[in-house]
Amino acid sequence: MPTVNSDNTTFDKATPLDNIKEVLLRFAASGYFPASAFIKNQPVKSELPVVHDNIKLEIVTHCWNYARFFVYQLSSLVKYPPTNMQLRFTVFYSEEDVATAKLLQHFQTLSVPNVEWNFQPLPTPLLLRRAIGRNRAAKQTKADWVWFADCDMVFHENCLDTLEQLLKGRQEILLFPDTLLVTPLLTEVDPMISAGKDKTELLEVDKTKFKPRKFDRATGAIQIIHGEVARNCGYCADLAVYQKPKFHWTKTYEDRAVRWLLGTQGVPIALPNLLLIRHAEKGRYKEDSKVSVIRKTIRRIKSALINK
């Protein structure tokens, strides 16, 4: 029998049956099955506590081979921290990723008002299943709200202060920023990307590269979940197949499952200066592999269609 941790994770590789279950869950999460059959503590909006002052936010980020982008996110928290809100910044990473470990070691030494660093190493197979770290953070959080983000986002000037104002008195299960400022797909030779390589000093983005893009649901890096919901429901905590490790980074279908389980696409909010650095190279794939080439081609085609 496999050893199952308290958060439902194991070190056992997914079986063919698990892969079939994942496919069926993607089908179910499209709305073909009621989520109530899959979640133990489905949240009720009217029962959620409301916080008016002294708001606590936890931002949860994963980083795997993205240190050259991640330095901009870390820099933004040092340069533009919240002034009236307590922020816990939780990062899951692998010590095999030497560049990210070095970057975090440096930022750990920096004292920033209203910001608590919480850097959590994970064995690589647990890191590569993003739902595992997100579930651990959700279950353990003491925050009023939890923002599940990605390491290529930048919280620029007045972004977090505006969020603090918008969170006051809110009684929602799930929120999401409806507009991000995004770059086109940047290559490794782009000055902004190359500037981040092997650097630990504070860096500033080139804001002229970013253009607004609208979103209509809480997805990927723009899921802001009520803290009580996070503690009670975790992040796909009741879907055991999403708490098993991966030995390569795969597409995160769990994002859709979260919205399905919580029974909402999320409520939009407007935040200024929330930036997303988009890049042609994916740290999750082996460089110059067939998968890498195919994925880069697909991303470029999608980007061209979106930016028409």
Side-chain angles (χ1 to χ4, degrees), residues 41-260:
N41 301 309
Q42 196 162 45
V44 178
K45 176 183 170 182
S46 61
E47 296 177 358
L48 298 177
V50 177
V51 180
H52 296 278
D53 297 297
N54 302 316
I55 290 174
K56 297 181 180 64
L57 172 71
E58 182 165 1
I59 295 177
V60 180
T61 288
H62 277 62
C63 190
W64 170 246
N65 291 337
Y66 279 178
R68 59 201 184 281
F69 313 110
F70 191 27
V71 64
Y72 289 103
Q73 182 174 101
L74 289 160
S75 296
S76 71
L77 294 176
V78 176
K79 293 164 72 72
Y80 311 109
T83 56
N84 295 301
M85 177 171 62
Q86 295 300 310
L87 169 62
R88 188 179 209 222
F89 186 60
T90 296
V91 180
F92 292 103
Y93 70 103
S94 168
E95 291 176 338
E96 291 182 36
D97 180 358
V98 176
T100 296
K102 177 183 175 184
L103 186 66
L104 293 176
Q105 185 177 25
H106 170 73
F107 274 84
Q108 184 77 61
T109 66
L110 303 182
S111 179
V112 183
N114 299 322
V115 174
E116 174 195 355
W117 304 122
N118 180 36
F119 303 151
Q120 298 291 321
L122 284 178
T124 300
L126 298 189
L127 179 76
L128 297 183
R129 172 74 82 174
R130 192 172 64 179
I132 291 176
R134 287 187 169 190
N135 186 51
R136 289 188 179 186
K139 289 289 193 177
Q140 296 170 7
T141 191
K142 302 284 194 297
D144 303 304
W145 295 88
V146 182
W147 185 337
F148 294 109
D150 282 339
C151 65
D152 44 13
M153 296 182 73
V154 176
F155 307 98
H156 211 271
E157 188 173 11
N158 205 36
C159 176
L160 294 176
D161 280 346
T162 300
L163 177 61
E164 187 263 343
Q165 291 297 311
L166 293 175
L167 293 179
K168 286 184 175 182
R170 283 274 184 173
Q171 191 179 45
E172 304 287 354
I173 294 170
L174 178 64
L175 301 170
F176 69 95
D178 64 358
T179 304
L180 273 68
L181 300 175
V182 304
T183 66
L185 289 177
L186 304 179
T187 67
E188 291 296 298
V189 298
D190 184 274
M192 197 165 74
I193 303 303
S194 59
K197 292 180 179 178
D198 300 318
K199 298 290 177 60
T200 55
E201 67 262 27
L202 300 184
L203 295 180
E204 185 64 79
V205 295
D206 177 1
K207 287 191 69 178
T208 65
K209 292 182 180 289
F210 295 80
K211 294 183 179 179
R213 179 182 295 179
K214 286 285 193 179
F215 291 82
D216 62 2
R217 68 194 68 186
T219 184
I222 53 172
Q223 300 178 70
I224 304 175
I225 296 179
H226 194 289
E228 194 73 4
V229 175
R231 285 182 286 274
N232 290 337
C233 303
Y235 195 92
C236 294
D238 296 324
L239 303 180
V241 71
Y242 284 145
Q243 301 302 324
K244 290 196 173 184
K246 281 288 186 181
F247 293 83
H248 59 90
W249 195 289
T250 55
K251 192 171 178 62
T252 50
Y253 292 106
E254 306 98 295
D255 296 345
R256 178 191 292 178
V258 167
R259 298 192 301 272
W260 171 61

